[in-house]
Amino acid sequence: HNFSTLAIAESYTRAFERLGYEIVEYDTLRALRIVGSGLKAQKFPANLHQTSEMACAPILSQVIIDSIDVVLVVHGIYMNPAIVMAIRKTGCKVGLILTDDPMQVSLSKRYGQYYDFVFTNDKNTVDQHKNCYYLPVAVDETIFVPGDDLFRSYDLLVAWSFYKERFEFLADERIKKLLLKYKTAMLGARSRDTEDPDLDKLFIKKK
């Protein structure tokens, strides 16, 4: 996962666990980086498809060993299609949760076709995928639960997943000057590489 997708995936994990399901998490992006670094160190001439297949292969192994009922893939761009098909052959259902439609629908249509069912966060792209259902991205209640601070009056409220590129946009001197000019509150999850002394003061911290 990248930062924003990781936050979404972790929220789904907490939700299913509250419903009583046993969840096993697997970070495909992290695995891809580890495998890629290892192959590079060994000077092994693997292409991206081979690297992806090696990184995702442990998922297939765990499905077989632990008799997993359902595999849910969030976003899906780093999940190898060959592994998806192999998992389905075991009888395990594989679902895809898309988080970047409609911006990436031309891409998600290509890899979404390999799944048993697809969920998308955009109503207008449901018809672009087979066996697709509308599923809006839920709110992380550990961050966005109203507290005393939210009942105060603000001129501006910025509610976002603050990963690096978005934070850099807000930290631009022209944008930051506007935020500081008004009574502004900022609310949301932040990646570790976001820091600005002026903007830090605007964040509502959940007690």
Side-chain angles (χ1 to χ4, degrees):
H1 311 292
N2 57 33
F3 166 71
S4 56
T5 306
L6 178 61
I8 293 171
E10 289 176 341
S11 295
Y12 278 117
T13 295
R14 287 194 296 271
F16 280 116
E17 287 177 339
R18 288 186 181 183
L19 291 172
Y21 293 98
E22 184 178 348
I23 303 298
V24 179
E25 291 183 298
Y26 188 82
D27 190 335
T28 51
L29 177 56
R30 182 174 181 272
L32 192 64
R33 287 172 173 166
I34 292 173
V35 171
S37 297
L39 293 175
K40 185 177 180 181
Q42 297 296 322
K43 298 182 180 180
F44 187 84
N47 58 37
L48 181 59
H49 177 78
Q50 293 171 316
T51 304
S52 171
E53 190 168 358
M54 293 173 68
C56 297
I59 302 174
L60 174 60
S61 300
Q62 188 149 24
V63 165
I64 296 172
I65 294 171
D66 296 335
S67 300
I68 302 293
D69 297 309
V70 179
V71 172
L72 287 175
V73 179
V74 178
H75 195 292
I77 193 170
Y78 298 116
M79 184 64 179
N80 186 277
I83 299 297
V84 173
M85 296 302 294
I87 293 173
R88 291 179 61 185
K89 286 181 180 179
T90 70
C92 176
K93 297 294 184 182
V94 188
L96 174 65
I97 300 175
L98 296 172
T99 58
D100 284 330
D101 279 359
M103 292 79 73
Q104 295 186 358
V105 68
S106 59
L107 178 62
S108 62
K109 279 174 62 177
R110 295 208 299 269
Y111 60 78
Q113 63 182 311
Y114 299 102
Y115 291 78
D116 289 296
F117 52 89
V118 176
F119 295 107
T120 178
N121 61 310
D122 181 65
K123 288 183 178 179
N124 296 317
T125 57
V126 170
D127 294 337
Q128 300 291 319
H129 308 280
K130 67 175 184 178
N131 299 325
C132 185
Y133 307 88
Y134 172 57
L135 180 66
V137 176
V139 172
D140 185 345
E141 63 182 36
T142 63
I143 298 173
F144 293 101
V145 172
D148 294 338
D149 284 343
L150 287 184
F151 291 100
R152 298 177 183 176
S153 176
Y154 294 101
D155 299 315
L156 297 172
L157 173 62
V158 183
W160 226 353
S161 291
F162 296 91
Y163 50 81
K164 185 178 179 181
E165 291 78 9
R166 288 178 174 178
F167 198 83
E168 287 177 347
F169 168 77
L170 296 174
D172 178 88
E173 287 303 320
R174 294 169 298 175
I175 303 299
K176 183 165 67 172
K177 184 177 180 180
L178 179 66
L179 296 176
L180 296 175
K181 178 180 178 182
Y182 295 96
K183 190 175 181 181
T184 301
M186 296 172 67
L187 179 67
R190 299 172 61 178
S191 61
R192 295 175 181 175
D193 51 2
T194 58
E195 185 178 349
D196 183 283
D198 295 321
L199 295 183
D200 288 346
K201 298 174 184 177
L202 303 181
F203 274 91
I204 294 176
K205 295 179 175 61
K206 185 174 178 293
K207 298 178 181 179

